[in-house]
Amino acid sequence: MSALEPAALAQPLASDGPPTLTKQARAQNGHRPARTEPAAVRIALTLIALAFLGLFIGLPLLLVFVEAFKRGAAAYVAALSDPDALAAIRLTLLVAAISVTANVIFGLVASWAIAKFEFAGKSLLITLIDLPFSVSPVVAGLIYVLLFGSQGLLAAPLQAWDIKIIFALPGIVLATIFVTFPFVARELIPLMQEQGTAEEEAAISLGASGLSTFFRVTLPNVKWALLYGVLLCNARAMGEFGAVSVVSGHVRGLTNTMPLHIEILYNEYQFGASFAVASLLALLALVTLIAKTVLESRLAEEEPR
Amino acid sequence: MATATASRLTFRKPSVIPGFGLTFGLTLTWLCLIVLLPLSALFLKTSELSFDRLLVIMSNARTLHALQISFGLSLAAAAINLVFGGLVVWVLVRYDFPFKRVVDAIIDIPFALPTAVAGIALTTLYAENGWIGSLLAPLGIQVSFTPLGILVALVFIGLPFVVRTVQPVLADLDAELEDAAASLGATRGQTIWRVVLPSIWPALLTGFAMAFARAVGEYGSVIFIAGNLPGVSEIAPLLIVIRLEEFRYADATAIASVMLLASFVLLFIINRLQHWAESRGGRER
């Protein structure tokens, strides 16, 4: 009877059904149910999870490359060397270069102000920097049309000076900067906050100027986080579709970025060419993920202990 | 001199580090130019509309249906991700299997893959002659060009939000709690239901809300697979684009403000949820 006593004690705790005697007996023998499930359950759950991931993520990714090369290497090369495709690739690289640069400068400036000083309203400022993440890409494009478009709030002065923003490069760049706005800053701010200000204070009190403190102390401390932010920012900048689609005007060879070029080809039933261009962006995504995985281990080194 | 500086800038603590004025000023200026002013243009344009006009636009059957599709299917997709994302996290954190690191890395594919690429890939996959679509067609299930297709796309883009929010919390969970529950006689199911789940629940909800927020505004991956039939499979962001192309700026603006307002509310809820999640569960270090 004594062996059963723990079961009697445990019963009021377990109202979802009394534990079975056999389990209690096993528990007494030291074979208590450990922190895991029976092997059959483990295998079943793993298979369900892998099937789900394969279905929703693995297959679409695989399909991009299969469709891109289905019509042979010659068709693939032809699709990518088409003048419109080349123009789209060039525009995408240009837009990404400008917006990543802008966001790196902003990210460094903002994280210096936020992480190295204590001031009122800091968390509000961080929330505002994160804001573009929660705005629909289409809305992001629309707000620039409302501002700079032919019916926009600033239409009159822009026309007077003959400046074209919407349906031109500046609009595409602005929309891209908007959707990638938080990427660099949000990687830097938490890390720089954790690292504190002791090293900078030491450098300043030893006579270093503010700039040389930044370049010699702060920047080396956050270089991997910066690179990480740049990587994610670049992937999003090159792949942005919704916001750019609203402001671009889809002029072939002029204001078509790679994602927009993919859309046009697809809608014209040029599936092979469409997937060929898509495979380049998919490759970029894969490279980004691999670099991200490598960087994450480096990032762990930057965390203060 | 020191007191003068302190009284001039009472909103911040004095520091020996230079550059606050410059960097703070630049941050605020750039933030206003790129984000705040353009966003306020939307509200300014909306406020120019009369209330009656706004009511007419918003009670339009096509508008209502588009909003219903966007919010309803986003909710369904986030719920699917809550269940399967939770399962994926459990398997990734607790079990060992071959190529685990690769599997862990591809979770981020929906973050990294441009939405247009995801859109055409999913559409081709689920089209009647596609790899999956051809298997479903004999069963009478059509995915591409139906609301079901929208759901598939929204599940795809929302998954990493749930997984990446819950993963660190489950990994940090104190294993001794589960040992204690087990040694007190709880079955494995009871331990998971009463000990593990309550600890990761705030993180799960946060991930759910993030996936939902992202799905509501999603455009690129959806428009290819949706079929975009007005009143059937037309999402709200697409309707904004269509109204814009028809030069019906008032309509586009009104729908956009509703969506922006919804994302602000969601942002606030996610913020609260994150505070809740951080105040409990294995976050203390």
Side-chain angles (χ1 to χ4, degrees):
Chain A
M1 188 61 206
S2 65
L4 293 176
E5 267 173 16
L9 281 172
Q11 268 179 6
L13 288 173
S15 56
D16 284 348
T20 58
L21 282 182
T22 48
K23 272 189 182 142
Q24 282 309 309
R26 268 193 282 140
Q28 288 299 304
N29 291 334
H31 294 287
R32 60 188 162 75
R35 279 188 285 117
T36 191
E37 292 73 48
V41 175
R42 287 207 306 271
I43 291 167
L45 289 181
T46 309
L47 287 180
I48 295 172
L50 289 179
F52 180 79
L53 290 177
L55 193 65
F56 276 89
I57 296 179
L59 277 183
L61 189 64
L62 183 68
L63 180 128
V64 173
F65 293 104
V66 171
E67 288 286 328
F69 291 104
K70 204 158 83 177
R71 290 151 191 89
Y76 184 80
V77 173
L80 293 184
S81 48
D82 174 77
D84 287 340
L86 286 176
I89 294 170
R90 235 175 285 135
L91 180 63
T92 293
L93 291 176
L94 177 66
V95 169
I98 299 173
S99 23
V100 169
T101 310
N103 280 322
V104 164
I105 295 171
F106 170 78
L108 286 170
V109 166
S111 53
W112 180 268
I114 289 172
K116 300 299 171 192
F117 301 94
E118 286 305 318
F119 56 91
K122 188 190 269 191
S123 60
L124 177 69
L125 187 59
I126 296 176
T127 308
L128 288 178
I129 289 174
D130 270 345
L131 197 59
F133 269 158
S134 30
V135 175
S136 167
V138 169
V139 177
L142 174 75
I143 58 179
Y144 288 104
V145 174
L146 294 179
L147 209 54
F148 301 117
S150 56
Q151 316 249 330
L153 294 167
L154 299 177
L158 288 175
Q159 246 167 6
W161 288 327
D162 199 23
I163 300 172
K164 214 162 153 44
I165 291 183
I166 299 304
F167 305 149
L169 179 68
I172 300 173
V173 170
L174 278 174
T176 308
I177 292 180
F178 181 95
V179 294
T180 54
F181 196 78
F183 276 99
V184 179
R186 72 153 27 192
E187 295 304 330
L188 292 179
I189 292 170
L191 179 65
M192 278 169 71
Q193 274 180 325
E194 270 185 68
Q195 287 176 344
T197 56
E199 289 185 36
E200 283 81 6
E201 279 163 7
I204 301 277
S205 58
L206 286 171
S209 72
L211 268 186
S212 73
T213 305
F214 171 76
F215 281 110
R216 296 203 182 175
V217 177
T218 311
L219 204 53
N221 272 342
V222 297
K223 59 179 186 293
W224 298 122
L226 181 64
L227 197 55
Y228 189 85
V230 166
L231 211 65
L232 298 183
C233 183
N234 178 62
R236 180 70 194 267
M238 288 196 174
E240 178 51 30
F241 178 74
V244 170
S245 156
V246 172
V247 297
S248 121
H250 305 88
V251 185
R252 275 193 182 206
L254 279 179
T255 64
N256 246 359
T257 59
M258 284 168 81
L260 298 182
H261 191 60
I262 292 171
E263 183 198 20
I264 290 185
L265 291 174
Y266 190 84
N267 287 342
E268 287 173 348
Y269 302 102
Q270 300 189 42
F271 297 129
S274 178
F275 276 105
V277 180
S279 72
L280 285 186
L281 287 176
L283 197 65
L284 170 78
L286 284 178
V287 170
T288 303
L289 284 192
I290 293 168
K292 178 175 172 282
T293 313
V294 174
L295 271 179
E296 264 161 8
S297 56
R298 295 289 176 89
L299 258 172
E301 293 167 18
E302 268 176 15
E303 301 275 343
R305 268 154 268 243
Chain B
M1 173 66 190
T3 50
T5 318
S7 64
R8 205 151 39 89
L9 293 168
T10 41
F11 84 107
R12 78 164 174 104
K13 276 193 200 158
S15 158
V16 295
I17 299 173
F20 177 74
L22 180 71
T23 54
F24 184 76
L26 279 176
T27 304
L28 219 53
T29 311
W30 190 237
L31 182 70
C32 283
L33 282 179
I34 297 290
V35 180
L36 300 182
L37 283 178
L39 278 179
S40 53
L42 178 63
F43 286 113
L44 205 66
K45 278 280 184 185
T46 313
S47 66
E48 281 175 6
L49 302 174
S50 72
F51 183 71
D52 290 345
R53 183 91 176 82
L54 209 59
L55 210 62
V56 169
I57 295 171
M58 294 320 293
S59 58
N60 175 293
R62 190 170 167 188
T63 311
L64 281 178
H65 193 274
L67 287 171
Q68 202 182 323
I69 282 278
S70 271
F71 282 90
L73 288 176
S74 299
L75 207 61
I80 292 173
N81 277 328
L82 183 72
V83 174
F84 283 95
L87 175 68
V88 167
V89 172
W90 184 261
V91 168
L92 275 179
V93 173
R94 292 302 174 90
Y95 304 156
D96 261 321
F97 52 90
F99 302 110
K100 187 168 155 173
R101 285 197 61 180
V102 178
V103 172
D104 188 52
I106 71 157
I107 304 271
D108 281 328
I109 282 286
F111 278 155
L113 196 68
T115 52
V117 179
I120 62 169
L122 288 170
T123 311
T124 310
L125 198 57
Y126 286 93
E128 234 169 297
N129 54 359
W131 295 349
I132 299 178
S134 59
L135 299 177
L136 294 175
L139 307 172
I141 303 171
Q142 204 194 336
V143 180
S144 280
F145 318 120
T146 69
L148 197 57
I150 303 178
L151 186 69
V152 168
L154 295 181
V155 169
F156 172 83
I157 56 131
L159 181 70
F161 288 93
V162 175
V163 175
R164 293 301 184 226
T165 314
V166 181
Q167 202 173 16
V169 179
L170 185 64
D172 274 3
L173 199 65
D174 196 350
E176 281 175 19
L177 288 176
E178 287 168 60
D179 285 340
S183 67
L184 286 172
T187 62
R188 188 62 194 152
Q190 286 169 338
T191 307
I192 289 172
W193 186 249
R194 302 197 152 200
V195 177
V196 178
L197 205 57
S199 309
I200 62 169
W201 191 231
L204 272 171
L205 272 184
T206 309
F208 172 84
M210 287 169 131
F212 177 67
R214 169 70 201 263
V216 166
E218 179 57 21
Y219 177 72
S221 58
V222 174
I223 56 157
F224 295 97
I225 201 170
N228 307 324
L229 213 58
V232 179
S233 57
E234 186 175 66
I235 54 167
L238 177 67
L239 190 56
I240 296 176
V241 173
I242 290 175
R243 292 306 189 215
L244 208 55
E245 281 168 359
E246 296 170 341
F247 300 105
R248 290 169 68 173
Y249 284 85
D251 294 57
T253 310
I255 305 167
S257 346
V258 170
M259 303 214 47
L260 193 60
L261 218 57
S263 40
F264 285 165
V265 171
L266 279 167
L267 186 67
F268 178 76
I269 293 173
I270 291 167
N271 217 309
R272 294 289 92 201
L273 281 171
Q274 273 169 337
H275 273 279
W276 183 36
E278 273 162 27
S279 66
R280 52 187 294 185
R283 272 296 171 104
E284 67 266 42
R285 276 164 219 251

